[in-house]
Amino acid sequence: MSESALNLLNLIINNRDDIIYITVLLSCIVVGKYYRKITDCDEKEKFGNRLGIAIIIIVSGFHSFHIFISFAVSAGIILLHRQLQSHIIISVFMFLYLLFFRMVHYLDLPSPPGHTNLIQMILTLKLVGLAFEVNDATLKCKTASKEELEKMPYHERELAEISLKNIFGYCFNYVGVLTGPYMTYRTYRDPFVEKYAHDEKSFQACDRATLDKFKSIPIFLVLYLATSYLWPIGRIFTDEFYTDESILYRLWYVWPVFFIFRMRIYIGLTLAECVCTAAGVGIYPTVFQSTPGGGPRTKDDQLLKDWQETYDFTTINNSDVYTTETCWTFREAMKSWNMCVQYWLAMIVYKRFPSRKLRTGATLLVSAYWHGVNPGYYFCIFAAPFYVAIEDLTLKRLKASGKPFPLWLNICVWISKFFAFSYMSVAFQLITFWRIWNYYNSVFHFGYCFWAVQYVIVLFWPKISRAVFGGGKRPEKPKEEKSS
């Protein structure tokens, strides 16, 4: 067997889990057209749940018991303990169970596969988010008058009186069960009850959106395979990478590593979006001004009078790939990445955290913890806000002149953005502390040192520029002459 064929075979073997993942998602996309055309709501819900349970069992095997145990306990708390701050209890329980789930190997138990980890992650968001939604809706209904109660959106009344059937349907519907996107209870229920979700034009919009999104997947796949073949990510784990390669090469290598990571994530997130669009989940009239994760800003029926019968799937948009790749700044790219999870973090953690001073740190901590317990996630996620602060200050100083940015300067900012992403994400890939430390040591912690120097320069830039280019003090304004 030739070396190239052997490399290709190794690539396939190393990506076995990804192949299973893609196959399951493709199957869900194919099923979507049949699913969305089921007119009987009960039959539709049953079909979606059966398929969701089948996916969990197929990819997880006996490890599925983790999923069902955490669901059963959380559902029981929601149903039996509404008056005992169930949203707080479920949050603590689900995140502690997530820790136990990821550390079962210390108890000499078999570790769950990666797919089960994805299912447990999204289930954690769903159950915690649902508990907060139930709590909010229950309080709102308790304080509402009879007239106000009748005018309330249907989903709030359902949440206040939620049943086991509702919880089960929301958590185990096949749409989003494997990898999301995160959606609220209302987003899950709207395709069952809203009339516009069942007309022919909405079905056509679903087909168009699925095809439009799917077109990008072959491009991502080719780029992923080509880059993985030329610069395999496994090389960074070998001793030869640190003994045979130069510092410049090791520093440059974070670019292809992050590129491979991006293409892999884009494939997964786009396929997950296609599952939703094919099933008709997350479709709303454009006049409702939907946001990723949150759904419509308004559902005022008056807006439908002049509506041109156009739809969008903004609610289930995981990532805006074009903006992430082409925007100039790190801050903009962050806002365009994994937007549905960002919505959950903003609504459940950031906006509700009692201390304003600590809410950003708490949100980052929850995000890192949700991703995993290994140090790599914390190295990566906690470095981001420090770089954003440096970038913001740099741009502020550059804009102080009042002149528009020339193209070359925007390109420099863009390169800096992707270098920052790449340098941080290598920790996400290396995962363990000693691997991360070994890599950063091998490049003399270049990224951190460079950003520290950049921060010092831009912080004192007005003084530096006057000392180097202008010298002395700022010229004083001439005093106005007194009128005679």
Side-chain angles (χ1 to χ4, degrees):
M1 186 180 290
S2 65
E3 185 178 350
S4 59
L6 187 61
N7 287 339
L8 184 60
L9 180 63
N10 288 332
L11 185 62
I12 293 171
I13 293 170
N14 292 335
N15 289 277
R16 177 178 169 275
D17 285 349
D18 290 341
I19 292 169
I20 295 171
Y21 174 79
I22 290 172
T23 303
V24 171
L25 291 179
L26 288 174
S27 302
C28 290
I29 294 169
V30 173
V31 169
K33 193 165 188 176
Y34 167 78
Y35 170 78
R36 74 170 183 260
K37 290 188 176 182
I38 300 174
T39 54
D40 186 281
C41 289
D42 287 337
E43 287 301 315
K44 186 173 185 177
E45 192 168 35
K46 287 177 184 176
F47 178 85
N49 289 154
R50 287 167 184 164
L51 185 54
I53 294 295
I55 290 170
I56 292 171
I57 293 173
I58 288 169
V59 303
S60 303
F62 76 92
H63 295 285
S64 303
F65 80 88
H66 288 292
I67 310 298
F68 300 131
I69 287 174
S70 54
F71 166 79
V73 173
S74 295
I77 294 171
I78 290 175
L79 295 172
L80 300 175
H81 298 285
R82 286 200 184 104
Q83 307 304 318
L84 298 176
Q85 302 291 315
S86 65
H87 54 301
I88 304 298
I89 298 170
I90 290 172
S91 300
V92 173
F93 168 74
M94 286 302 297
F95 277 96
L96 284 178
Y97 196 90
L98 198 58
L99 178 65
F100 164 75
F101 171 85
R102 286 166 170 162
M103 302 187 76
V104 292
H105 56 280
Y106 289 113
L107 302 174
D108 293 328
L109 295 172
S111 296
H115 301 309
T116 311
N117 181 53
L118 292 174
I119 296 168
Q120 188 69 36
M121 287 172 72
I122 197 65
L123 184 65
T124 299
L125 298 186
K126 281 185 174 181
L127 284 169
V128 173
L130 180 65
F132 276 90
E133 287 187 75
V134 168
N135 184 71
D136 292 344
T138 302
L139 291 174
K140 190 174 180 180
C141 288
K142 278 185 177 180
T143 57
S145 65
K146 189 176 180 180
E147 291 180 357
E148 290 173 334
L149 201 60
E150 289 175 355
K151 292 179 181 179
M152 273 187 190
Y154 80 91
H155 71 277
E156 291 186 343
R157 296 194 300 271
E158 276 190 13
L159 284 165
E161 299 295 333
I162 199 161
S163 65
L164 179 61
K165 180 185 175 184
N166 296 138
I167 302 172
F168 188 88
Y170 172 62
C171 291
F172 292 123
N173 188 279
Y174 84 95
V175 179
V177 73
L178 180 57
T179 186
Y182 169 75
M183 63 186 75
T184 62
Y185 179 80
R186 179 179 68 176
T187 301
Y188 159 71
R189 286 290 291 160
D190 278 348
F192 292 95
V193 300
E194 296 291 355
K195 292 180 180 178
Y196 58 76
H198 299 94
D199 62 36
E200 191 58 36
K201 288 193 175 181
S202 73
F203 287 168
Q204 292 172 4
C206 290
D207 291 334
R208 284 195 303 271
T210 305
L211 183 60
D212 288 343
K213 288 178 181 293
F214 196 85
K215 285 177 182 177
S216 60
I217 292 173
I219 300 171
F220 298 147
L221 185 60
V222 169
L223 291 172
Y224 170 76
L225 292 173
T227 312
S228 298
Y229 178 77
L230 295 171
W231 300 285
I233 195 170
R235 186 179 296 176
I236 205 168
F237 294 98
T238 63
D239 293 335
E240 290 75 18
F241 181 78
Y242 298 96
T243 57
D244 300 346
E245 306 295 351
S246 67
I247 292 174
L248 289 177
Y249 183 83
R250 292 196 294 269
L251 193 58
W252 169 84
Y253 208 77
V254 299
W255 288 80
V257 165
F258 183 54
F259 186 84
I260 293 167
F261 177 77
R262 290 206 310 280
M263 294 306 110
R264 185 169 175 265
I265 295 297
Y266 289 160
I267 291 168
L269 295 183
T270 306
L271 281 172
E273 290 175 17
C274 287
V275 173
C276 293
T277 56
V281 175
I283 183 171
Y284 289 105
T286 51
V287 291
F288 286 171
Q289 303 173 28
S290 299
T291 57
R297 286 194 178 97
T298 176
K299 289 183 74 175
D300 187 354
D301 290 338
Q302 296 298 318
L303 294 171
L304 297 177
K305 289 183 177 179
D306 300 322
W307 174 44
Q308 302 299 315
E309 294 192 63
T310 54
Y311 298 91
D312 66 51
F313 286 88
T314 307
T315 300
I316 51 86
N317 278 355
N318 267 314
S319 292
D320 183 344
V321 176
Y322 180 80
T323 301
T324 303
E325 294 294 321
T326 60
C327 68
W328 299 119
T329 66
F330 192 97
R331 181 181 287 278
E332 289 177 273
M334 278 183 65
K335 290 179 179 179
S336 305
W337 181 272
N338 213 356
M339 293 181 287
C340 293
V341 173
Q342 286 197 54
Y343 167 82
W344 185 94
L345 288 167
M347 297 304 296
I348 304 300
V349 184
Y350 185 82
K351 291 187 177 181
R352 297 175 188 264
F353 199 77
S355 171
R356 289 190 175 184
K357 293 181 180 179
L358 301 176
R359 58 176 44 167
T360 299
T363 305
L364 292 171
L365 181 61
V366 171
S367 177
Y369 181 91
W370 179 72
H371 280 91
V373 295
N374 290 305
Y377 305 120
Y378 299 83
F379 266 90
C380 178
I381 291 171
F382 274 89
F386 291 99
Y387 178 78
V388 169
I390 295 169
E391 181 185 71
D392 287 347
L393 184 59
T394 303
L395 294 175
K396 182 181 178 181
R397 296 292 194 226
L398 291 171
K399 289 176 180 176
S401 64
K403 297 178 181 177
F405 280 20
L407 179 60
W408 68 267
L409 188 55
N410 274 326
I411 292 173
C412 289
V413 173
W414 182 87
I415 292 171
S416 178
K417 171 196 79 173
F418 267 124
F419 172 71
F421 268 122
S422 302
Y423 191 81
M424 293 175 200
S425 76
V426 77
F428 208 94
Q429 306 292 302
L430 293 171
I431 294 180
T432 66
F433 176 82
W434 291 114
R435 282 177 177 172
I436 297 165
W437 192 254
N438 189 33
Y439 174 77
Y440 284 149
N441 262 341
S442 75
V443 294
F444 298 103
H445 301 272
F446 175 83
Y448 296 135
C449 295
F450 177 76
W451 297 329
V453 171
Q454 180 184 346
Y455 178 71
V456 171
I457 291 173
V458 297
L459 185 63
F460 296 102
W461 179 247
K463 293 180 180 179
I464 294 172
S465 62
R466 288 197 299 272
V468 175
F469 302 108
K473 299 180 180 178
R474 289 180 181 177
E476 294 183 5
K477 292 181 180 180
K479 295 181 180 179
E480 294 182 5
E481 294 183 4
K482 294 181 179 179
S483 57
S484 55

